Amino acid sequence: MAIILGLESSCDETAAAIVRSDRTILSHALAGQEDHHRAFGGVVPEIAARAHAELMTPLVETALADAGMTLHDVDAIAATAGPGLIGGVMVGLVTAKALAMASGKPLIAVNHLEGHALSPRLVDADLSFPYLLLLVSGGHCQLLRVNGVGDYNRLATTIDDAVGEAFDKTAKILGLGFPGGPAVERAAALGNAKNVPLPRPLKGADEPHFSFAGLKSAVLRAHETGQYKVEDIAASFQQAVIDCLYDRIRYTLDRIDAPAALVVAGGVAANVPIRNMLEGLAASRGMRFVAPPLWLCTDNGVMIAWAGAERFAMGLTDGLDFVARPRWPLDPNAAPARGAGVKA
Ligand code: KG4
Ligand code: ZN
């Protein structure tokens, strides 16, 4: 059985965790940086990188102490090597390289998106390849066929904003604070989703992709009229997102040989109404629905350690010369979607 230390620092969570290949989480240390960024209404890359540099070593020490281990008990050191804010990614990757060099243990460079993509397999031992994955985070909205470790087919992606981005911008427009996703979900629970007419971008379109930029602009216009309660706008926005996701996934499901399971991962997977919609959609298609527990959806070290364990089991380790990658698509062969030049 392998024991993997995993480091995460690609956005605004600094985290270190130790996971065993039998799916036991031995420790899990995480420090959010919300307080550092709140005054700016979003993540400031330079501030994030400095905070990662301060927090990473103490968190690694905490993760080792909580597991009752030293570096010698670990079989490999995994770290997010991209995609993400490059300053932060480099902090985690350089720390992992130093630990690997000092201990003589192998380095595993993990794609952050693969961390999200494989995390459902940590909590569900029966989830085998292939599965259909909706990956929804602050930077991505993709539908992927997960064939195996390191083997993905991107079936659809956003042509403009990511879903998490739309939640964050909506929160900012409505003055709900930062981080935006959970704030919008809380406000939405108090509002009426039928009260504000908002568009469903690309609903019914004869292509598989997603779009959220128009929805965000419509939220801004609705708010500026001064006619609607913030809670009603939040609820109507969240319902529009749900309707779009449902319609777009259904489009793809109608055209593929669907795998046995529909899986959701990434920060937006923590949204309970979105999870409920996906569960219903999966059931209507005779598919199993798998979602990580809420705490495992947003960025953390456990998913990086687990992706490291999956790669280690296949003999996939990396050289200390591995270069951090700010962009790193899971399916490098995917045809570019129209408009999607800047998003992986
Ligand atoms: O995966 P993640 O933690 O970081 C990235 O890799 O991007 O995702 C963060 C995103 C943010 O946009 C955040 O607002 C969104 O996930 N998010 C949510 C919820 N919790 C986090 N969006 C909707 N509802 C939530 N409960
Ligand atoms: Zn993430």
Side-chain angles (χ1 to χ4, degrees):
M1 246 183 317
I3 294 174
I4 311 293
L5 168 65
L7 312 187
E8 160 60 30
S9 57
S10 65
C11 190
D12 62 342
E13 261 91 25
T14 323
I18 302 179
V19 169
R20 206 165 56 198
S21 51
D22 68 350
R23 297 184 159 77
T24 308
I25 299 168
L26 297 170
S27 65
H28 171 209
L30 182 143
Q33 302 178 4
E34 282 92 1
D35 296 343
H36 292 73
H37 303 288
R38 185 166 287 117
F40 305 96
V43 179
V44 184
E46 177 63 16
I47 294 175
R50 287 184 201 198
H52 287 306
E54 278 167 27
L55 293 164
M56 187 53 91
T57 304
L59 285 171
V60 169
E61 284 166 357
T62 303
L64 286 168
D66 288 355
M69 290 183 171
T70 69
L71 215 45
H72 295 289
D73 301 310
V74 164
D75 292 297
I77 298 144
T80 293
L85 302 173
I86 192 68
V89 171
M90 284 175 63
V91 170
L93 185 58
V94 166
T95 305
K97 286 179 180 177
L99 295 172
M101 197 181 283
S103 63
K105 305 291 168 79
L107 171 77
I108 303 170
V110 172
N111 181 321
H112 178 84
L113 301 174
E114 177 152 73
H116 282 300
L118 298 179
S119 65
R121 283 168 49 83
L122 166 63
V123 288
D124 190 329
D126 298 327
L127 179 60
S128 49
F129 300 120
Y131 51 88
L132 187 65
L133 172 71
L134 177 68
L135 180 61
V136 273
S137 70
H140 294 85
C141 178
Q142 301 189 345
L143 199 56
L144 298 144
R145 187 182 172 90
V146 184
N147 303 310
V149 175
D151 183 0
Y152 301 85
N153 297 126
R154 197 205 68 199
L155 305 173
T157 188
T158 177
I159 61 165
D160 41 54
D161 291 358
V163 202
E165 195 178 350
F167 269 93
D168 293 335
K169 287 177 177 165
T170 293
K172 206 166 176 177
I173 292 166
L174 300 181
L176 292 171
F178 172 83
V184 172
E185 183 178 357
R186 275 194 303 273
L190 306 171
N192 186 334
K194 296 202 172 76
N195 280 6
V196 187
L198 293 173
R200 269 70 177 152
L202 291 187
K203 186 173 175 200
D206 192 15
E207 62 171 312
H209 300 303
F210 304 89
S211 167
F212 297 101
L215 181 54
K216 167 197 68 191
S217 311
V219 164
L220 178 61
R221 286 194 298 275
H223 185 57
E224 282 174 350
T225 65
Q227 283 179 37
Y228 303 110
K229 276 170 54 189
V230 161
E231 290 78 8
D232 288 347
I233 301 178
S236 302
F237 161 78
Q238 187 172 266
Q239 189 56 47
V241 169
I242 288 172
D243 292 349
C244 290
L245 291 173
Y246 178 91
D247 177 72
R248 306 288 67 214
I249 299 168
R250 193 196 46 74
Y251 178 94
T252 291
L253 281 174
D254 283 346
R255 285 161 180 81
I256 60 167
D257 186 12
L262 175 64
V263 177
V264 66
V268 183
N271 184 287
V272 174
I274 291 178
R275 292 164 82 98
N276 291 343
M277 175 277 289
L278 294 170
E279 188 167 15
L281 175 56
S284 74
R285 299 283 172 149
M287 295 171 81
R288 214 153 71 76
F289 176 63
V290 181
L294 298 186
W295 70 268
L296 196 54
C297 291
T298 44
D299 291 348
N300 62 83
V302 171
M303 69 183 198
I304 303 304
W306 174 252
E310 294 245 35
R311 296 186 76 81
F312 190 71
M314 298 181 67
L316 300 170
T317 61
D318 297 281
L320 294 180
D321 57 350
F322 194 98
V323 177
R325 302 179 64 175
R327 296 225 175 105
W328 189 357
L330 281 177
D331 178 2
N333 300 318
R338 76 181 158 91
V342 293
K343 303 265 160 68

